[in-house]
mmCIF file of all heavy atoms in Angstrom:
data_model
loop_
_atom_site.group_PDB
_atom_site.id
_atom_site.type_symbol
_atom_site.label_atom_id
_atom_site.label_comp_id
_atom_site.label_asym_id
_atom_site.label_seq_id
_atom_site.Cartn_x
_atom_site.Cartn_y
_atom_site.Cartn_z
ATOM 1 N N GLU A 257 -30.390 58.686 6.526
ATOM 2 C CA GLU A 257 -30.643 60.125 6.559
ATOM 3 C C GLU A 257 -31.927 60.449 5.796
ATOM 4 O O GLU A 257 -32.767 61.228 6.267
ATOM 5 C CB GLU A 257 -29.461 60.883 5.951
ATOM 6 C CG GLU A 257 -29.617 62.388 6.045
ATOM 7 C CD GLU A 257 -28.399 63.153 5.522
ATOM 8 O OE1 GLU A 257 -27.322 62.545 5.343
ATOM 9 O OE2 GLU A 257 -28.532 64.366 5.290
ATOM 10 N N PHE A 258 -32.091 59.801 4.652
ATOM 11 C CA PHE A 258 -33.300 60.010 3.839
ATOM 12 C C PHE A 258 -34.558 59.638 4.623
ATOM 13 O O PHE A 258 -35.530 60.395 4.667
ATOM 14 C CB PHE A 258 -33.161 59.165 2.563
ATOM 15 C CG PHE A 258 -34.402 59.103 1.715
ATOM 16 C CD1 PHE A 258 -34.839 60.228 1.021
ATOM 17 C CD2 PHE A 258 -35.119 57.917 1.603
ATOM 18 C CE1 PHE A 258 -35.981 60.162 0.218
ATOM 19 C CE2 PHE A 258 -36.264 57.850 0.821
ATOM 20 C CZ PHE A 258 -36.696 58.980 0.126
ATOM 21 N N TRP A 259 -34.518 58.490 5.303
ATOM 22 C CA TRP A 259 -35.715 58.054 6.051
ATOM 23 C C TRP A 259 -35.941 58.874 7.312
ATOM 24 O O TRP A 259 -37.074 59.065 7.742
ATOM 25 C CB TRP A 259 -35.625 56.558 6.370
ATOM 26 C CG TRP A 259 -36.057 55.741 5.202
ATOM 27 C CD1 TRP A 259 -35.251 55.237 4.217
ATOM 28 C CD2 TRP A 259 -37.404 55.376 4.844
ATOM 29 N NE1 TRP A 259 -36.011 54.592 3.281
ATOM 30 C CE2 TRP A 259 -37.334 54.650 3.636
ATOM 31 C CE3 TRP A 259 -38.660 55.590 5.417
ATOM 32 C CZ2 TRP A 259 -38.459 54.143 2.999
ATOM 33 C CZ3 TRP A 259 -39.779 55.080 4.796
ATOM 34 C CH2 TRP A 259 -39.678 54.365 3.592
ATOM 35 N N LEU A 260 -34.868 59.357 7.904
ATOM 36 C CA LEU A 260 -35.022 60.175 9.118
ATOM 37 C C LEU A 260 -35.654 61.523 8.809
ATOM 38 O O LEU A 260 -36.211 62.172 9.692
ATOM 39 C CB LEU A 260 -33.656 60.383 9.793
ATOM 40 C CG LEU A 260 -33.100 59.188 10.573
ATOM 41 C CD1 LEU A 260 -31.666 59.451 11.009
ATOM 42 C CD2 LEU A 260 -33.970 58.865 11.791
ATOM 43 N N GLN A 261 -35.579 61.924 7.557
ATOM 44 C CA GLN A 261 -36.160 63.220 7.191
ATOM 45 C C GLN A 261 -37.635 63.119 6.833
ATOM 46 O O GLN A 261 -38.285 64.114 6.594
ATOM 47 C CB GLN A 261 -35.376 63.820 6.022
ATOM 48 C CG GLN A 261 -34.120 64.528 6.514
ATOM 49 C CD GLN A 261 -33.147 64.836 5.402
ATOM 50 O OE1 GLN A 261 -33.047 64.099 4.432
ATOM 51 N NE2 GLN A 261 -32.426 65.915 5.540
ATOM 52 N N LYS A 262 -38.118 61.876 6.751
ATOM 53 C CA LYS A 262 -39.526 61.705 6.394
ATOM 54 C C LYS A 262 -40.426 62.050 7.575
ATOM 55 O O LYS A 262 -39.986 62.073 8.711
ATOM 56 C CB LYS A 262 -39.762 60.255 5.974
ATOM 57 C CG LYS A 262 -39.118 59.941 4.649
ATOM 58 C CD LYS A 262 -39.715 58.687 4.082
ATOM 59 C CE LYS A 262 -39.139 58.460 2.703
ATOM 60 N NZ LYS A 262 -40.083 57.858 1.807
ATOM 61 N N GLN A 263 -41.693 62.267 7.256
ATOM 62 C CA GLN A 263 -42.702 62.482 8.289
ATOM 63 C C GLN A 263 -42.701 61.318 9.262
ATOM 64 O O GLN A 263 -42.605 60.161 8.839
ATOM 65 C CB GLN A 263 -44.079 62.538 7.609
ATOM 66 C CG GLN A 263 -44.419 63.889 7.027
ATOM 67 C CD GLN A 263 -45.126 64.753 8.036
ATOM 68 O OE1 GLN A 263 -46.174 64.394 8.531
ATOM 69 N NE2 GLN A 263 -44.548 65.890 8.358
ATOM 70 N N GLN A 264 -42.823 61.652 10.519
ATOM 71 C CA GLN A 264 -42.847 60.578 11.504
ATOM 72 C C GLN A 264 -44.137 59.781 11.411
ATOM 73 O O GLN A 264 -45.228 60.342 11.370
ATOM 74 C CB GLN A 264 -42.718 61.168 12.894
ATOM 75 C CG GLN A 264 -42.416 60.110 13.914
ATOM 76 C CD GLN A 264 -42.438 60.686 15.296
ATOM 77 O OE1 GLN A 264 -42.114 61.848 15.491
ATOM 78 N NE2 GLN A 264 -42.836 59.874 16.241
ATOM 79 N N HIS A 265 -43.983 58.488 11.349
ATOM 80 C CA HIS A 265 -45.104 57.586 11.100
ATOM 81 C C HIS A 265 -44.623 56.207 11.557
ATOM 82 O O HIS A 265 -43.423 55.927 11.455
ATOM 83 C CB HIS A 265 -45.376 57.625 9.586
ATOM 84 C CG HIS A 265 -46.546 56.808 9.163
ATOM 85 N ND1 HIS A 265 -46.433 55.468 8.860
ATOM 86 C CD2 HIS A 265 -47.848 57.143 8.978
ATOM 87 C CE1 HIS A 265 -47.632 55.016 8.517
ATOM 88 N NE2 HIS A 265 -48.510 56.007 8.577
ATOM 89 N N PRO A 266 -45.503 55.351 12.065
ATOM 90 C CA PRO A 266 -45.012 54.041 12.533
ATOM 91 C C PRO A 266 -44.205 53.292 11.471
ATOM 92 O O PRO A 266 -43.194 52.660 11.778
ATOM 93 C CB PRO A 266 -46.298 53.294 12.885
ATOM 94 C CG PRO A 266 -47.293 54.358 13.197
ATOM 95 C CD PRO A 266 -46.931 55.546 12.353
ATOM 96 N N ASP A 267 -44.613 53.387 10.197
ATOM 97 C CA ASP A 267 -43.867 52.710 9.138
ATOM 98 C C ASP A 267 -42.464 53.286 8.987
ATOM 99 O O ASP A 267 -41.490 52.551 8.791
ATOM 100 C CB ASP A 267 -44.582 52.878 7.791
ATOM 101 C CG ASP A 267 -45.775 51.948 7.693
ATOM 102 O OD1 ASP A 267 -45.927 51.104 8.603
ATOM 103 O OD2 ASP A 267 -46.539 52.079 6.718
ATOM 104 N N THR A 268 -42.395 54.594 9.092
ATOM 105 C CA THR A 268 -41.088 55.244 8.988
ATOM 106 C C THR A 268 -40.167 54.747 10.088
ATOM 107 O O THR A 268 -39.018 54.410 9.853
ATOM 108 C CB THR A 268 -41.237 56.779 9.131
ATOM 109 O OG1 THR A 268 -42.361 57.190 8.383
ATOM 110 C CG2 THR A 268 -40.006 57.487 8.687
ATOM 111 N N MET A 269 -40.741 54.689 11.294
ATOM 112 C CA MET A 269 -39.946 54.231 12.432
ATOM 113 C C MET A 269 -39.448 52.811 12.208
ATOM 114 O O MET A 269 -38.298 52.491 12.477
ATOM 115 C CB MET A 269 -40.788 54.255 13.713
ATOM 116 C CG MET A 269 -41.402 55.596 14.030
ATOM 117 S SD MET A 269 -40.174 56.751 14.598
ATOM 118 C CE MET A 269 -39.974 56.164 16.281
ATOM 119 N N ALA A 270 -40.330 51.971 11.685
ATOM 120 C CA ALA A 270 -39.948 50.577 11.461
ATOM 121 C C ALA A 270 -38.840 50.500 10.413
ATOM 122 O O ALA A 270 -37.905 49.704 10.539
ATOM 123 C CB ALA A 270 -41.163 49.763 11.021
ATOM 124 N N ASN A 271 -38.924 51.347 9.405
ATOM 125 C CA ASN A 271 -37.894 51.310 8.362
ATOM 126 C C ASN A 271 -36.563 51.850 8.860
ATOM 127 O O ASN A 271 -35.506 51.313 8.519
ATOM 128 C CB ASN A 271 -38.374 52.078 7.126
ATOM 129 C CG ASN A 271 -39.536 51.360 6.458
ATOM 130 O OD1 ASN A 271 -39.704 50.157 6.639
ATOM 131 N ND2 ASN A 271 -40.344 52.094 5.711
ATOM 132 N N VAL A 272 -36.629 52.899 9.669
ATOM 133 C CA VAL A 272 -35.395 53.420 10.272
ATOM 134 C C VAL A 272 -34.733 52.316 11.107
ATOM 135 O O VAL A 272 -33.529 52.084 11.021
ATOM 136 C CB VAL A 272 -35.702 54.658 11.154
ATOM 137 C CG1 VAL A 272 -34.557 54.970 12.096
ATOM 138 C CG2 VAL A 272 -36.014 55.866 10.267
#
Side-chain angles (χ1 to χ4, degrees):
E257 184 176 345
F258 171 70
W259 278 92
L260 284 171
Q261 278 166 328
K262 290 198 175 214
Q263 277 270 301
Q264 193 186 329
H265 183 273
D267 283 352
T268 317
M269 304 287 282
N271 292 338
V272 163

